[in-house]
Amino acid sequence: MNGLAARIHDALPQTQCTRCGYPDCAGYAQAVADGQAGINQCPPGGAEGVARLARLTGCEALPLDPQFGTEGPRAMAVIDEAWCIGCTLCLDACPTDAIVGINKRMHTVIEAHCTGCELCIPVCPVDCISLEVETPGRSGWQAWSHAQAEAALRRYKLHGEHRRADKRKSEQDAPAVAQPQAADTRKRSIVEAALARARAASQQQRPPTAKP
């Protein structure tokens, strides 16, 4: 990351939401520095974020591009514990490890670590994750501090280290003569089994139908 990209990166909210069209804030910062992305593609930063990038790049401050989202209050993910099947898909999706839980057990969100990135929403197979507004009346950098951005970046780096360590361990533990099971196949089987248990539990809890 060159000098300009590093300065742009420091000016971003570090939610790692990917709404800018890049895999993380660092990728977006480098693209802006290289002239491959506009300075108005970061909804979490809002209008103030665009102004910050305009000052750094010398570009004209433009309205936030609506194709990447709109500025709004910071939200926090909330898991409906009654419907969570413990599939662990949201754990992998969360860029700051703000969700804790183990396979086949209920998960929960650590409020202080959630950036409101929304990446956990689409991966949940039972739609048990919702968003709650944390900063009503405040959006962009009015709803997010530089200290929170720094903390989110630290956790994102740790998330990457954890995932790389897990990958190395799984590769080391895999039998040399056997092909490791594809990750998507493993997760699909976990989800299918969890859904089957949830359906069975629902049938058991359903009151008997009265005879006519």
Side-chain angles (χ1 to χ4, degrees):
M1 188 181 296
N2 60 35
L4 177 57
R7 292 193 296 275
I8 293 171
H9 189 233
D10 288 342
L12 295 175
Q14 304 300 329
T15 58
Q16 315 300 336
C17 67
T18 75
R19 276 177 270 181
C20 59
Y22 292 85
D24 55 18
C25 295
Y28 176 53
Q30 188 64 62
V32 172
D34 293 341
Q36 297 176 353
I39 62 173
N40 58 342
Q41 296 178 202
C42 176
E48 183 179 340
V50 174
R52 292 183 180 191
L53 298 191
R55 289 192 294 271
L56 287 171
T57 61
C59 297
E60 179 185 357
L62 301 170
L64 191 66
D65 190 333
Q67 71 172 306
F68 298 102
T70 58
E71 180 176 348
R74 186 172 73 87
M76 186 186 74
V78 177
I79 297 176
D80 186 336
E81 299 175 354
W83 285 98
C84 177
I85 59 175
C87 69
T88 73
L89 295 178
C90 59
L91 273 67
D92 292 336
C94 179
T96 56
D97 289 337
I99 303 176
V100 294
I102 59 174
N103 186 29
K104 302 179 184 180
R105 295 291 185 270
M106 180 193 71
H107 302 345
T108 191
V109 177
I110 303 174
E111 180 177 350
H113 298 162
C114 178
T115 67
C117 70
E118 304 182 19
L119 294 177
C120 57
I121 303 292
V123 301
C124 179
V126 293
D127 294 329
C128 73
I129 306 177
S130 60
L131 295 172
E132 292 186 357
V133 173
E134 283 293 292
T135 59
R138 292 181 291 126
S139 63
W141 279 101
Q142 298 300 316
W144 191 246
S145 69
H146 185 66
Q148 287 174 306
E150 289 182 330
L153 178 58
R154 287 195 297 271
R155 294 198 62 80
Y156 177 58
K157 291 179 178 179
L158 286 172
H159 170 82
E161 292 174 5
H162 294 160
R163 293 297 174 265
R164 287 189 290 273
D166 290 344
K167 182 179 180 180
R168 287 194 298 270
K169 186 176 185 303
S170 64
E171 292 173 348
Q172 293 170 356
D173 292 345
V177 295
Q179 291 293 332
Q181 186 181 24
D184 57 344
T185 303
R186 179 183 65 82
K187 291 180 179 179
R188 190 180 304 113
S189 64
I190 292 172
V191 171
E192 289 174 352
L195 288 172
R197 291 195 302 274
R199 285 193 293 268
S202 176
Q203 290 292 331
Q204 292 175 359
Q205 295 172 3
R206 184 177 300 171
T209 304
K211 294 183 178 180

